[in-house]
Amino acid sequence: MTALALLPALLCQAAAEVAPSQVPSLGGGFSWIDWVVVLAVLVAITIMGERLAGRQETVRDFYLGGRRLPWYAVSASIIATEISAVTFFVVPSMIWRTGGTLLYLQVGVFSAIVARLIVAFVLVPAYYEREVYSPYEYMGNRLGSGVKKMTTGLFMIGGLLAQASRVYITAVIIEVLAKEELDVVASYTGLSPIASAVAAIALVALLWTWLGGVATVIWTDAFLFLMFLAGLIGMLFVLHAGTDGGLMASIDIARESGRLQFIDTDFAFTKPYTLVAVIFAISWGYVGSFGTDQLIVQRLLCCKNERDAKLAMVGSYLSVLVIGLAFLVGIGLLGYYSTHSMSDVAAALTADGAKPERILAVFVREELPVGVRGLVLAAAFAAAISSLDSILAALGQTTLATLWTPWRERKGPSYMTEAEESRSNLRASRVIVALWAGVLAFVALAMQSVEARYDNLLNLALAMSALIGGPLLAGFALSWLPQSDDLKDTRHARGSAGFMWSAPLGVLTVLFAIWHGDAAYRASWWAVSIVFGLWLVVGLPRRRQPFGAIQTLLYGFSLFLLTRVAEVGDFDDGKSIAWSWYVPVGSTVTFLYALLLDKHGRRR
């Protein structure tokens, strides 16, 4: 069952989650020196980010950094946003766990470069044709305001799910690293340790975003990228020194246990990292992630010009280096624990039936020296903040452009001066960002129930990112199509009216392709009834919406088929379609149905 369908129930459950920590006592722990290091690092990053960001006087400064940020800072920010704590802590567990492999490394090596080149040389030039604040504004300029609102709404849902999952994963790690401290907080507040960790991440992320908008976010992300590298390299030195035979002995252990498998040619739609999925499906999905997700595009739009934006996009391919180092840390852990005993508590925490993703956190807590532990905790905490402040800036901008500004315009003419209106919008932006911080923290807690659907926390994060990506990518593809000369305006652009109905169809197709059974069957009928009812009610009186006998039958029959998909049950071995196919399926359905349902509305 996916987060999209379960969200209301999950939020209620998360709100009531006040159970004490289920993490038993571990060795090690954090001294006052470690906490001084954590505080010093976070304060230093905050001050440097705020100083480098400069004064924020306008919305353009707050959301585009005045379009004066250097490409290398933007590139480092993209890397920090992309990898976050998922790469830092979860990727090492991908090779540590029983049956672990290097298959995910293919994504960084192959899929990432293909997608980056397409985004740099196809999508970036389109966005720099005029000054836009988001890809959804670009789509709106090409296809009409309805498409802008639809794509913005989809981004908000997808961004909530994707980044909330990353914050939750980091909270799981921090729960191990700072268990005693979180238990003390829980005794005073009644919040669970996970909830306390999420709240702390949200508060600091809100502060960083408030201080200087996206410019501060980008500069702090750039520092975090350097921290990721330093942390991973430092742990490699410790693992090498603490293992008989060093890292080469660890690599031999990984090879002998079959963990160095890099390519899987055994294709199946239920397997996420087959060679076909990596080269075709994940590359396809990454074009959407890098090119139509405001989280990344907002950074590209902060560059001085199109050339710098291309350099930033291609330069962010260095993220593969971080992924490779994270896998090497996982290999090092194999060798280290082949010659060092792990406590019973640590073994229980990292077993396959528990959460193998905790292995690096256990190593940091029990094995690293004083001070170094604090540095790693600061990196983990900052990684989660990087994910959260990035999405806060993106959600704030899209909300301001889609909801706040149109509401102000409907109230009538403003008698404020340009400077007064700019300050008013800036204050509104900070309030909007604060509201989104609360919502994101709430959704992060809901991920406790969603994670059971996926094999590991990495697949959870990737799946949440891909759930809504298909319709967004289809929206850009439609806006990129050449338009007929006989169309009167953007409201009647090719595919625009059809997209308003095909986008929900694309989301539902992915939803019920991965969620099956009795509950999904009942939910599918509710979803179909609502969407088709809106088709009839909205489509009939508004001629510019696609509405005709053939189109109505086609759309109704397609929606009905979704109820059959939801009813059939899981695929073989209890698995459904892998996350890597979410975007190809969603974008194909959305794009084709947008054209099939489109009537172009009234003509001249």
Side-chain angles (χ1 to χ4, degrees):
M1 191 177 294
T2 68
L4 193 62
L6 282 175
L7 195 54
L10 295 179
L11 293 179
C12 293
Q13 178 178 334
E17 183 72 43
V18 294
S21 174
Q22 296 179 352
V23 180
S25 297
L26 286 166
F30 281 76
S31 68
W32 66 268
I33 297 176
D34 293 308
W35 287 112
V36 169
V37 170
V38 172
L39 183 62
V41 168
L42 294 178
V43 170
I45 291 177
T46 302
I47 293 174
M48 287 188 291
E50 192 270 339
R51 294 289 175 85
L52 288 170
R55 185 177 176 84
Q56 309 301 302
E57 298 180 348
T58 66
V59 172
R60 189 178 193 266
D61 292 335
F62 194 78
Y63 287 124
L64 292 183
R67 276 201 166 166
R68 58 178 180 267
L69 297 176
W71 69 267
Y72 52 84
V74 173
S75 190
S77 175
I78 292 173
I79 295 172
T81 301
E82 180 187 354
I83 58 178
S84 68
V86 174
T87 299
F88 196 82
F89 281 98
V90 177
V91 167
S93 73
M94 298 295 290
I95 201 163
W96 159 266
R97 67 178 64 237
T98 303
T101 65
L102 293 173
L103 291 179
Y104 177 67
L105 185 57
Q106 297 174 94
V107 175
V109 173
F110 300 129
S111 307
I113 188 60
V114 172
R116 281 176 164 86
L117 290 174
I118 293 174
V119 170
F121 293 99
V122 178
L123 277 69
V124 166
Y127 294 145
Y128 269 82
E129 288 178 357
R130 63 181 73 183
E131 182 170 299
V132 295
Y133 285 78
S134 72
Y136 322 118
E137 185 177 348
Y138 172 82
M139 296 178 205
N141 292 338
R142 296 279 293 173
L143 300 176
S145 60
V147 172
K148 177 183 176 181
K149 294 175 182 177
M150 174 65 76
T151 52
T152 300
L154 290 172
F155 160 71
M156 289 177 177
I157 296 172
L160 274 172
L161 297 175
Q163 298 311 313
S165 67
R166 284 163 167 78
V167 171
Y168 167 68
I169 290 169
T170 308
V172 169
I173 301 303
I174 294 176
E175 184 186 20
V176 174
L177 292 174
K179 177 188 179 299
E180 290 81 7
E181 291 79 4
L182 290 175
D183 282 343
V184 171
V185 174
S187 67
Y188 282 101
T189 64
L191 295 174
S192 68
I194 285 285
S196 299
V198 168
I201 293 167
L203 287 173
V204 179
L206 179 61
L207 172 64
W208 282 6
T209 311
W210 266 2
L211 283 175
V214 72
T216 296
V217 170
I218 286 175
W219 280 114
T220 52
D221 282 354
F223 291 127
L224 293 181
F225 168 59
L226 298 178
M227 286 186 64
F228 291 149
L229 284 179
L232 290 171
I233 292 172
M235 279 187 284
L236 284 174
F237 275 111
V238 173
L239 290 168
H240 177 75
T243 304
D244 293 341
L247 286 175
M248 291 306 301
S250 301
I251 293 173
D252 289 338
I253 293 173
R255 182 186 300 109
E256 292 169 2
S257 60
R259 285 178 164 89
L260 297 187
Q261 181 187 3
F262 179 62
I263 293 177
D264 182 5
T265 58
D266 184 17
F267 173 73
F269 280 108
T270 57
K271 299 171 67 175
Y273 304 118
T274 65
L275 187 61
V276 173
V278 167
I279 293 178
F280 178 72
I282 299 180
S283 297
W284 188 335
Y286 268 28
V287 171
S289 297
F290 296 144
T292 65
D293 190 329
Q294 174 71 353
L295 197 64
I296 302 298
V297 176
Q298 186 177 34
R299 285 157 171 68
L300 297 176
L301 295 176
C302 292
C303 292
K304 298 175 182 178
N305 49 50
E306 179 185 320
R307 172 184 169 276
D308 280 8
K310 290 179 179 177
L311 284 173
M313 186 75 263
V314 176
S316 65
Y317 182 63
L318 280 176
S319 62
V320 70
L321 174 63
V322 181
I323 297 173
L325 289 174
F327 268 113
L328 192 55
V329 167
I331 292 173
L333 290 169
L334 280 173
Y336 184 87
Y337 283 112
S338 69
T339 57
H340 294 73
S341 298
M342 183 182 291
S343 67
D344 293 339
V345 172
L349 285 174
T350 58
D352 288 339
K355 281 190 174 67
E357 294 85 1
R358 290 170 171 158
I359 180 59
L360 186 57
V362 167
F363 172 78
V364 169
R365 180 186 169 108
E366 294 192 334
E367 305 295 337
L368 289 186
V370 173
V372 179
R373 288 194 299 253
L375 189 61
V376 174
L377 176 59
F381 194 67
I385 296 168
S386 166
S387 297
L388 196 51
D389 66 11
S390 299
I391 192 64
L392 287 178
L395 287 170
Q397 188 279 317
T398 51
T399 303
L400 185 79
T402 307
L403 299 177
W404 171 259
T405 301
W407 177 77
R408 287 284 301 273
E409 291 174 350
R410 286 195 299 269
K411 289 181 64 177
S414 172
Y415 297 101
M416 291 186 294
T417 65
E418 184 176 344
E420 290 173 338
E421 187 166 359
S422 181
R423 286 193 294 271
S424 174
N425 286 336
L426 194 56
R427 287 193 298 270
S429 296
R430 290 194 167 103
V431 172
I432 291 169
V433 164
L435 293 174
W436 275 118
V439 174
L440 269 160
F442 211 39
V443 177
L445 292 176
M447 290 295 160
Q448 295 176 89
S449 299
V450 181
E451 69 167 305
R453 179 70 187 178
Y454 297 93
D455 293 336
N456 53 65
L457 291 178
L458 176 64
N459 284 348
L460 167 69
L462 295 172
M464 294 300 101
S465 299
L467 195 58
I468 308 294
L472 292 178
L473 185 57
F476 180 87
L478 289 168
S479 65
W480 207 55
L481 290 177
Q483 300 295 336
S484 302
D485 294 334
D486 61 345
L487 295 182
K488 187 174 182 179
D489 55 39
T490 56
R491 292 178 304 166
H492 309 134
R494 185 180 179 189
S496 61
F499 178 82
M500 300 299 293
W501 301 100
S502 67
L505 181 63
V507 173
L508 292 178
T509 300
V510 173
L511 179 64
F512 294 119
I514 59 178
W515 176 31
H516 309 278
D518 293 338
Y521 179 65
R522 292 192 297 270
S524 69
W525 273 110
W526 279 104
V528 165
S529 300
I530 292 171
V531 173
F532 193 62
L534 287 173
W535 168 280
L536 296 176
V537 172
V538 177
L540 184 60
R542 300 175 64 185
R543 290 177 54 202
R544 68 181 181 86
Q545 296 290 346
F547 189 89
I550 295 178
Q551 290 157 311
T552 300
L553 289 174
L554 172 65
Y555 196 58
F557 181 67
S558 300
L559 288 170
F560 170 75
L561 288 179
L562 291 182
T563 65
R564 304 297 96 196
V565 173
E567 185 186 28
V568 295
D570 287 344
F571 288 83
D572 293 338
D573 301 323
K575 296 181 179 179
S576 61
I577 182 173
W579 68 265
S580 48
W581 294 98
Y582 291 4
V583 173
V585 170
S587 58
T588 300
V589 169
T590 302
F591 183 83
L592 292 179
Y593 273 83
L595 297 179
L596 289 171
L597 299 175
D598 194 64
K599 286 182 65 177
H600 296 318
R602 296 186 296 268
R603 299 179 184 273
R604 299 188 191 190

